[in-house]
Amino acid sequence: MDKFRMIFQFLQSNQESFMNGICGIMALASAQMYSAFDFNCPCLPHYNLAYGLGILLVPPFILFLLGFVLNNNVSMLAEEWRRPQGQRGKDPAVLRYMFCSMAQRAMIAPAVWVSVTLLDGKCITCAFCTSVPVETLGNTSHPGLSQGEMKRVLARIPCKEIYNGQELIANEVAVRYLRCISQALGWCFVLLMTTLAFLVRSLRPCFTQAAFLKSRYWSHYIDIERKLFDETCAEHARSFAKVCIQQFFEGMSTDLASAHCHPPRKAPADVGEAAEKLLGITDQGTMNTALKSWHRCKPPLHLHPPALPSGNGWAGEEQPPTHPPVPRREMAAYYSRV
Amino acid sequence: MDRFRMIFQYFQSNSESVMNGICGLLALASVKMYTCFDFSCPCLPWYNMAYGLGIMFVPPIALFLCGLILNRQSLVMLEEWRRPQGCRKKDLAVIRYMCSSIMQRAMIAPVIWIIVTLLDGKCLICAFSSSVDPEKFVGFANASLVQVQQLLAKVPCKDDELMRNNTSRKAVSKYLRCWSQALGWSILLILIVAAFLACWLRPCFNQATLLQARHWSNYIDIEQKIFEETCCEHSRLFAHKCILHFFESMRQEMKLHSFSLPREGEGAEGEENLLRDITNKDQVNKLLKMWYYEKPPLNVSQATQRHPLGRDHKTSKIK
């Protein structure tokens, strides 16, 4: 008992650290995914922007949704939100607390992806290479090109092998410029996220501590209650199944005994446990019939009260109906006493 | 069993060492981040200074905030600071002690970043290459002002076509690097001497107050942890009772509806006790449906148990 309580406390008080662990793993996975991903800028005027911004924004969205999916408290939140009120009021503060804590954890991996992308610089270089200020960075002596032609040349900046605008603007100069902007954006994003996280965490004790303690308690309670209910149902199902099967075997053995016109063998008192466990089935034919009957027609989900001792070898009903039945034969009334 | 208790006790009594561990990890992470970070100076006149100083100062701010966020004690301190006085007086010395220990730990990773940056030198070279005096360097002394600015701005970029084999570039670069490393080592020396002095001189001032403050700050931390654990245990027991009451009330309701004759013995078989008179498929389905559609009220006092229909007149809401 003590042991279970200790384990439970450990798991419960550490469910948050379990969730933190999962969210740390997802953050690492997102950094690893980025480094494994083979970034391949198309180097064409309008495709660049779409590709660059797509790589910057679509994977974080997917990671955010994945963060919700992997969080096993989401079903708990949904259940609590949708249940009918019944006798127990619903507290929106608890729902808000549960949603906020899940959303905060789910935001970490996308934030890591966006930071790593911006600090690396390839995405922004690809997306905004056509917007480089050629007047300030480029060679002023170059003859003017048409707008479209210039865009096509600039679009090839990320692809060094096919870049043909070295006279217009040096490739390294443009790449350094774009990378500097990208890294500046990246660090500003990191600073913004940490400032937000800091504000969220530090303003809470200043304003809403009592409400927070309440919401936290009741959200833990809902989680524990759900788990305990599942355990209790599992225990009940186990007992139900055991009694159902026991009654099936008893019914089987009584049936077969009466069909062979033998009186039911009362096991002598000193035979021992093994004989009892045989449940009255002691030969191959009987066992085969029992197995076939189990397969062909399983007993109904309806347990009988325990049997009274009886001297006659009459056969009871094999399959009592699921509702409180009207006894068909007077001798069967004994079976139907539900 | 014993092991769990030991681990628990270790974490409870050594929250300071847990905090130290986190702060060490953050310091290592800051060094790793710097080495992974691909420093790329823009080599343009005004951008250099902004980029160089930005890389030197913005990440430390982010690391400092991270150090505050990851430290559990900062929350404890804030709660203690903002709580209503109630029956327990607030001791400002304790709050000050907690604040200073949190700040000290949070400052370690930013300081390491700054020192590593200075010792490496790239940031300072990038930021201040346009600010060196061109007269000191042979290659730049004879050029016009604008040209000098452009050339000096390109010093951090070794691979630039203008700078590829320029010896003056190397001279400027070495000069700035020397300054940067000197600054880095000086800061490191000053900080270590300050830490040393603080450790040695602290016992000379107010040692008793310090011991008290440390004890009570530990106490506040442990008290909060134990409160959370007690709440968890309480909610488990509450849930257990609530579910048992629910099953009991369902059982009574079904007994009423099914017109059953009283059974011979309540404790007939051990297994059947567990079944609680819910012994067929429909009853189980009804129980599960009731659990969803009408969860029992959050009230496990004895009076609610005896109502035959299992419904509670006092509908208690979550307050």
Side-chain angles (χ1 to χ4, degrees):
Chain A
M1 194 50 237
D2 223 15
K3 187 166 69 165
F4 284 123
R5 189 156 48 99
M6 277 257 114
I7 292 177
F8 211 112
Q9 270 180 10
F10 184 74
L11 282 178
Q12 182 53 43
S13 66
N14 279 19
Q15 207 212 17
E16 297 228 343
S17 51
F18 174 71
M19 282 291 117
N20 288 345
I22 288 208
C23 118
I25 287 176
M26 274 192 63
L28 285 174
S30 103
Q32 184 59 32
M33 253 168 64
Y34 181 78
S35 52
F37 174 64
D38 189 16
F39 190 88
N40 206 347
C41 193
C43 295
L44 295 166
H46 299 290
Y47 289 68
N48 277 4
L49 188 65
Y51 186 83
L53 290 184
I55 298 295
L56 183 63
L57 298 172
V58 168
F61 182 66
I62 295 175
L63 286 168
F64 182 68
L65 292 178
L66 201 62
F68 270 106
V69 163
L70 289 180
N71 192 336
N72 50 6
N73 287 344
V74 163
S75 59
M76 182 175 85
L77 172 64
E79 215 180 281
E80 178 63 16
W81 182 38
R82 298 299 301 166
R83 72 170 170 92
Q85 181 136 334
Q87 301 174 49
R88 186 188 288 185
K90 283 207 268 196
D91 190 359
V94 173
L95 293 171
R96 265 198 312 263
Y97 169 80
M98 281 162 50
F99 180 72
C100 282
S101 80
M102 274 184 244
Q104 280 166 22
R105 290 199 174 89
M107 290 277 283
I108 292 183
V112 167
W113 175 278
V114 171
S115 318
V116 170
T117 307
L118 288 174
L119 291 177
D120 188 37
K122 288 194 286 236
C123 266
I124 296 287
T125 307
C126 184
F128 293 107
C129 54
T130 46
S131 320
V132 168
V134 184
E135 310 79 33
T136 40
L137 299 176
N139 299 328
T140 44
S141 56
H142 194 265
L145 291 168
S146 72
Q147 198 71 322
E149 188 57 40
M150 182 163 341
K151 280 215 180 314
R152 265 197 291 276
V153 168
L154 289 177
R156 295 202 193 107
I157 287 176
C159 306
K160 289 194 182 64
E161 317 82 48
I162 58 173
Y163 184 61
N164 56 357
Q166 203 66 10
E167 306 83 40
L168 175 63
I169 175 172
N171 189 293
E172 301 85 33
V173 171
V175 165
R176 274 197 309 254
Y177 175 78
L178 288 165
R179 210 141 179 225
C180 150
I181 303 263
S182 173
Q183 288 180 345
L185 279 177
W187 283 117
C188 290
F189 178 77
V190 167
L191 186 63
L192 183 68
M193 287 285 118
T194 41
T195 312
L196 273 176
F198 174 74
L199 285 175
V200 162
R201 225 162 121 91
S202 60
L203 289 182
R204 194 246 301 148
C206 299
F207 295 109
T208 51
Q209 184 67 359
F212 166 76
L213 286 174
K214 218 174 58 168
S215 310
R216 192 172 63 175
Y217 179 87
W218 288 115
S219 86
H220 280 170
Y221 172 82
I222 291 171
D223 188 27
I224 293 179
E225 189 188 49
R226 191 175 69 142
K227 287 192 183 103
L228 275 178
F229 183 75
D230 288 341
E231 273 169 35
T232 315
C233 283
E235 204 183 292
H236 185 271
R238 195 179 172 281
S239 313
F240 196 111
K242 199 163 173 186
V243 175
C244 194
I245 290 168
Q246 232 168 20
Q247 290 183 350
F248 168 74
F249 272 101
E250 277 165 15
M252 196 86 292
S253 84
T254 328
D255 275 358
L256 289 170
S258 66
H260 291 142
C261 301
H262 294 154
R265 264 181 235 118
K266 260 210 201 127
D270 54 342
V271 162
E273 273 185 38
E276 256 181 53
K277 286 209 171 118
L278 287 175
L279 300 167
I281 295 175
T282 46
D283 63 280
Q284 189 184 24
T286 320
M287 193 65 221
N288 287 343
T289 318
L291 294 172
K292 211 158 54 174
S293 172
W294 179 255
H295 172 67
R296 289 236 177 90
C297 62
K298 283 204 161 74
L301 290 165
H302 186 106
L303 304 179
H304 316 299
L308 290 172
S310 155
N312 317 356
W314 47 263
E317 294 168 7
E318 252 190 53
Q319 298 153 46
T322 52
H323 291 289
V326 174
R328 270 190 266 142
R329 297 190 293 229
E330 199 190 333
M331 290 181 287
Y334 137 86
Y335 256 133
S336 315
R337 269 180 14 175
V338 235
Chain B
M1 183 46 237
D2 255 353
R3 203 168 52 172
F4 278 126
R5 199 182 314 178
M6 264 170 57
I7 293 177
F8 242 145
Q9 280 179 354
Y10 176 76
F11 276 116
Q12 278 181 10
S13 67
N14 276 28
S15 65
E16 288 224 354
S17 50
V18 170
M19 292 301 126
N20 287 344
I22 289 191
C23 133
L25 278 175
L26 210 54
L28 285 174
S30 104
V31 174
K32 180 77 179 147
M33 254 166 61
Y34 183 79
T35 49
C36 288
F37 176 62
D38 193 9
F39 189 90
S40 155
C41 194
C43 296
L44 298 165
W46 296 111
Y47 289 72
N48 276 5
M49 174 88 79
Y51 185 83
L53 293 182
I55 297 296
M56 202 152 85
F57 293 119
V58 167
I61 299 178
L63 285 167
F64 179 71
L65 292 175
C66 266
L68 291 180
I69 291 170
L70 292 176
N71 194 340
R72 216 186 136 265
Q73 270 217 336
S74 55
L75 272 182
V76 170
M77 181 208 79
L78 275 175
E79 278 169 28
E80 176 64 17
W81 181 40
R82 298 297 300 171
R83 71 172 170 92
Q85 182 138 326
C87 304
R88 188 189 284 188
K89 277 205 303 246
K90 285 204 268 198
D91 189 356
L92 283 178
V94 172
I95 296 177
R96 268 199 308 265
Y97 172 83
M98 285 169 81
C99 192
S100 77
S101 90
I102 291 166
M103 292 287 173
Q104 280 165 29
R105 287 198 177 89
M107 290 287 280
I108 292 182
V111 161
I112 286 188
W113 174 278
I114 291 179
I115 290 179
V116 168
T117 308
L118 287 173
L119 292 180
D120 188 35
K122 288 192 286 230
C123 267
L124 232 64
I125 296 176
C126 185
F128 292 108
S129 65
S130 313
S131 321
V132 297
D133 183 8
E135 303 299 319
K136 288 199 196 135
F137 302 98
V138 173
F140 302 120
N142 298 328
S144 74
L145 202 60
V146 170
Q147 235 179 356
V148 152
Q149 283 299 316
Q150 293 274 348
L151 285 175
L152 283 177
K154 289 196 192 293
V155 158
C157 300
K158 294 193 199 92
D159 297 325
D160 192 81
E161 48 194 357
L162 288 175
M163 290 280 146
R164 214 155 272 163
N165 289 319
N166 193 330
T167 43
S168 309
R169 178 201 71 80
K170 287 183 192 154
V172 173
S173 184
K174 283 191 198 301
Y175 172 75
L176 286 169
R177 204 166 194 183
C178 151
W179 269 107
S180 169
Q181 289 181 343
L183 198 56
W185 284 115
S186 318
I187 291 181
L188 190 58
L189 184 66
I190 290 174
L191 285 175
I192 290 188
V193 166
F196 177 79
L197 286 175
C199 276
W200 276 85
L201 294 181
R202 200 170 16 173
C204 303
F205 301 100
N206 278 337
Q207 180 67 355
T209 323
L210 181 71
L211 286 175
Q212 280 177 5
R214 193 160 69 177
H215 175 267
W216 289 114
S217 81
N218 251 353
Y219 171 81
I220 292 171
D221 192 20
I222 291 179
E223 189 187 48
Q224 208 204 37
K225 279 198 195 104
I226 294 184
F227 180 74
E228 282 171 20
E229 280 166 29
T230 313
C231 280
C232 281
E233 195 179 321
H234 182 269
S235 71
R236 187 187 169 274
L237 292 171
F238 196 110
H240 192 54
K241 270 241 149 75
C242 197
I243 289 170
L244 284 180
H245 280 204
F246 174 73
F247 271 82
E248 193 54 41
S249 68
M250 290 298 336
R251 179 183 157 210
Q252 285 170 3
E253 189 172 336
M254 287 183 198
K255 227 185 200 165
L256 269 184
H257 286 167
S258 58
F259 308 109
S260 56
L261 298 171
R263 292 203 334 202
E264 291 287 316
E266 278 304 313
E269 274 182 29
E271 294 296 342
E272 303 230 344
N273 250 346
L274 285 172
L275 291 172
R276 299 179 182 100
D277 263 336
I278 296 165
T279 49
N280 70 28
K281 183 175 173 184
D282 288 340
Q283 289 172 343
V284 172
N285 285 344
K286 183 165 183 207
L287 179 140
L288 294 172
K289 208 160 73 165
M290 280 297 279
W291 179 255
Y292 176 69
Y293 278 105
E294 292 189 22
K295 277 209 162 73
L298 290 165
N299 189 333
V300 296
S301 53
Q302 289 304 316
T304 61
Q305 199 185 358
R306 286 190 220 106
H307 199 288
L309 283 177
R311 283 182 195 280
D312 181 19
H313 284 310
K314 328 177 211 133
T315 50
S316 67
K317 290 205 279 216
I318 303 174
K319 289 180 261 303

